[in-house]
Amino acid sequence: MEDRVRVVIAEDSVLLREGLTRLLTDRGHEVVAGVGDGVALIKTITELEAQGELPDVVVADVRMPPTHTDEGVRAAVQLRKAHPGLGVLVLSQYVEERYATELLAGSSRGVGYLLKDRVAEVREFVDAVVRVAEGGTALDPEVVAQLLGRSRKQDVLAGLTPREREVLGLMAEGRTNSAIARQLVVSDGAVEKHVSNIFLKLGLSQSEGDHRRVLAVLTYLNS
């Protein structure tokens, strides 16, 4: 079982909201509130903070009432600015690149963007919630693929080999070196070498420390 996390769910579909609640509580996590729009989400987080009970992560639909356009993601961006330590995982019916880049504009720490179809893969969804709650990144492979398609046109990543691009894409999904090695069926050492080459080619010196990984992902996403 994953480490227990406290979650607030923002989803206007009562059926989906209850379903997400059940998925998380069945795995031992605590859903402290469920709301149906962005305004209620902001209000709930403000009230919880006042009580000293800020959750670990918010799971929010991109589109919510009243217009069903971008209320959810706008609320998520506002929450990230007001509460940098709060994890935010947004769900979308399909890849909306503008929203993904807006959400990731500040930092990739504690942020996630998944397609709703991914919820059906229970283990993967719950793992993503926990990873974001703990300050990691969880990006849907489809989001990464679309952003990769755009980034191929940019010179900043032109020096990377196809394998290095693949490794960087998996890094952007929030995967560890060991997880990347399993995905690519290579050794951990091979992945570490690719990661080192990526840092070198992107001009990220050792003085950046652990932040190099985040900076590499942001370079990838914003290029």
Side-chain angles (χ1 to χ4, degrees), residues 1 11 39-40 62 96 101 141 183 217:
M1 180 178 292
E11 166 60 58
V39 173
V62 166
E96 299 178 273
T101 53
Q183 176 72 18
V217 169

Side-chain angles (χ1 to χ4, degrees), residues 27-69:
R27 300 301 293 265
H29 303 298
E30 180 184 1
V31 177
V32 297
V35 298
D37 60 70
V39 173
L41 174 59
I42 298 295
K43 180 181 178 182
T44 297
I45 295 300
T46 300
E47 292 174 347
L48 288 171
E49 182 187 34
Q51 298 166 13
E53 298 180 355
L54 197 67
D56 300 303
V57 60
V58 167
V59 177
D61 190 358
V62 166
R63 298 171 180 263
M64 288 194 290
T67 68
H68 292 279
T69 53

Side-chain angles (χ1 to χ4, degrees), residues 52-204:
E53 298 180 355
L54 197 67
D56 300 303
V57 60
V58 167
V59 177
D61 190 358
V62 166
R63 298 171 180 263
M64 288 194 290
T67 68
H68 292 279
T69 53
D70 62 352
E71 284 83 358
V73 75
R74 283 195 288 108
V77 171
Q78 183 177 335
L79 287 174
R80 280 178 58 75
K81 290 178 179 178
H83 310 284
L86 175 66
V88 174
L89 173 63
V90 299
L91 304 177
S92 181
Q93 195 67 40
Y94 50 88
V95 178
E96 299 178 273
E97 185 177 320
R98 177 170 65 88
Y99 297 152
T101 53
E102 183 178 4
L103 187 67
L104 291 158
S107 169
S108 65
R109 179 174 174 78
V111 64
Y113 189 113
L114 295 181
L115 297 184
K116 286 187 174 180
D117 289 346
R118 201 67 57 188
V119 175
E121 301 173 25
V122 177
R123 176 73 191 193
E124 186 172 340
F125 168 70
V126 176
D127 284 350
V129 172
V130 174
R131 187 159 66 246
V132 171
E134 295 177 344
T137 305
L139 297 180
D140 195 285
E142 290 298 324
V143 175
V144 173
Q146 184 161 317
L147 294 173
L148 176 60
R150 180 184 58 165
S151 69
R152 283 197 175 116
K153 302 175 183 178
Q154 307 299 322
D155 291 336
V156 67
L157 301 182
L160 301 185
T161 66
R163 177 61 93 183
E164 288 164 354
R165 286 176 178 269
E166 191 173 10
V167 169
L168 184 52
L170 292 170
M171 288 168 60
E173 290 179 27
R175 300 180 187 241
T176 64
N177 285 3
S178 294
I180 293 172
R182 290 194 298 270
Q183 176 72 18
L184 300 181
V185 195
V186 298
S187 68
D188 287 1
V191 173
E192 290 173 4
K193 182 176 180 180
H194 288 312
V195 172
S196 294
N197 287 339
I198 290 169
F199 291 156
L200 179 64
K201 292 179 179 180
L202 294 183
L204 300 174

